[in-house]
Amino acid sequence: MNFILNPWPWYVSGPLIALVMVLLVYFGKTFGMSSNLKTMCTVLGAGKFSDFFKVDWKEQSWNLAVVIGAIIGGYIAVNFISDDVVTNLNPKTISELNALGFNNAGASLVPNELYDYESVVSGKGFLILIIGGLLVGFGTRYADGCTSGHAITGLSSLQKPSLIAVIGFFIGGLIMTNLILPLIF
């Protein structure tokens, strides 16, 4: 059971990802989570309102199984095979997060200051969710894919736009972590 509970080493997870990518390329499929939103909107009739959603959703219906699997797998992982051990954080990271107002850094898996119900319904929390959601949605559409699509499918098929997008993701993450997050908290 420890093999499932602990992070998998690169020499196990890397070849498994490579195997999945080889199979996807062989069958002419691509992987990415953001394309599922377009598929779900199309299934629900968004094509009546926008030409963007007038596509044959049945070609991507297999990818909806990935979303359903992620939801079911996440539920199983949290409720049945989780050992409730939190991630060991570097003491310097904990002190920096405490300085930003995160009181339980290193004591729980996710910070209550962001994911607690009271935090979400507060004015600040609600604005963070709305603005963050809009930025992620716009960025995903503008980059023509999400982080998983570009980083896994795009890079494995040697696509230059995916390399540029992944570099942008890292730069954006660094800017958010070091410049914007301290201003928010």
Side-chain angles (χ1 to χ4, degrees):
M1 190 67 158
N2 282 337
F3 180 73
I4 293 174
L5 296 176
N6 293 322
W8 288 10
W10 65 268
Y11 52 83
V12 173
S13 55
L16 286 174
I17 292 171
L19 175 65
V20 169
M21 290 313 306
V22 167
L23 290 172
L24 287 173
V25 169
Y26 178 77
F27 289 109
K29 306 288 185 186
T30 59
F31 173 79
M33 294 303 273
S34 63
S35 60
N36 288 305
L37 178 60
K38 181 178 179 180
T39 303
M40 287 187 279
C41 290
T42 301
V43 169
L44 296 174
K48 297 174 187 174
F49 305 102
S50 172
D51 290 340
F52 177 73
F53 296 105
K54 289 184 180 177
V55 294
D56 184 12
W57 64 268
K58 293 177 184 175
E59 290 180 12
Q60 288 294 318
S61 62
W62 71 273
N63 213 0
L64 292 175
V66 174
V67 173
I68 293 167
I71 293 168
I72 293 170
Y75 179 81
I76 291 170
V78 167
N79 293 300
F80 299 110
I81 60 174
S82 177
D83 61 359
D84 294 327
V85 174
V86 296
T87 305
N88 290 329
L89 294 177
N90 186 310
K92 183 178 178 185
T93 302
I94 292 174
S95 65
E96 288 177 3
L97 289 171
N98 286 335
L100 290 173
F102 292 92
N103 298 322
N104 67 340
S108 67
L109 186 59
V110 295
N112 291 335
E113 291 82 3
L114 291 177
Y115 295 99
D116 194 61
Y117 180 73
E118 288 81 23
S119 299
V120 171
V121 296
S122 71
K124 180 179 176 181
F126 188 72
L127 276 175
I128 290 172
L129 283 174
I130 295 296
I131 293 170
L134 289 172
L135 288 173
V136 167
F138 173 77
T140 300
R141 211 40 254 137
Y142 186 72
D144 200 21
C146 61
T147 52
S148 61
H150 281 296
I152 298 172
T153 300
L155 290 181
S156 67
S157 59
L158 304 176
Q159 294 181 21
K160 185 178 178 181
S162 291
L163 177 62
I164 294 168
V166 170
I167 290 169
F169 298 150
F170 277 98
I171 291 170
L174 289 170
I175 291 170
M176 179 64 191
T177 302
N178 295 302
L179 301 177
I180 299 173
L181 188 66
L183 294 175
I184 295 173
F185 292 97

